[in-house]
Amino acid sequence: MSSLTDENGEANPYRAREVVFQTDDSLTTSGASGVKVAEIKTSEADHRYRYQPNHPLAIKEGEWKGYVAYPNIDMTTQMVDAMETTRAYEANVGVMEISKNLSRETLTILA
């Protein structure tokens, strides 16, 4: 989130990545479909720029001369996304537990 250079040491701030899932019918079990990674998208959002002319990674020429490019990642948005994902997972586990309990109760009534 705070990386200003890429894996080659070049001044290229980190860009957020987002995983896109799709259903995978080859993983279908008990009527539920599986998922697989369809693609990994890289954010196209502009970097945030701060004027820091003495910074070793400051842009040397052009419109942003003297500025340092920082990743445009918002920690609040990332935390909200993580919480939303956790809640969705918990809801799905709850549905599976209720379904399992209903099946068990049905078998108890029939037996």
Side-chain angles (χ1 to χ4, degrees):
M1 180 176 130
S2 60
S3 178
L4 300 179
T5 59
D6 60 15
E7 58 275 0
N8 299 324
E10 304 283 329
N12 186 15
Y14 176 79
R15 289 194 179 272
R17 289 169 177 79
E18 187 174 298
V19 179
V20 178
F21 296 101
Q22 72 181 50
T23 58
D24 186 358
D25 294 331
S26 67
L27 299 174
T28 301
T29 59
S30 308
S33 295
V35 295
K36 65 180 179 180
V37 175
E39 68 177 300
I40 299 176
K41 292 184 177 181
T42 302
S43 172
E44 296 298 324
D46 287 337
H47 299 297
R48 290 181 296 126
Y49 293 94
R50 292 186 193 153
Y51 186 68
Q52 297 174 315
N54 296 326
H55 194 285
L57 295 175
I59 299 170
K60 305 293 184 230
E61 56 189 40
E63 177 185 356
W64 295 104
K65 182 179 179 180
Y67 286 82
V68 178
Y70 285 87
N72 192 8
I73 298 175
D74 180 28
M75 180 60 96
T76 305
T77 303
Q78 297 296 317
M79 287 301 295
V80 168
D81 287 348
M83 289 171 51
E84 181 180 357
T85 302
T86 301
R87 298 293 185 252
Y89 176 79
E90 289 171 350
N92 286 328
V93 169
V95 167
M96 290 189 303
E97 287 294 320
I98 290 171
S99 177
K100 184 174 71 172
N101 290 340
L102 284 172
S103 296
R104 186 179 332 116
E105 290 297 321
T106 301
L107 288 175
T108 303
I109 292 171
L110 294 175

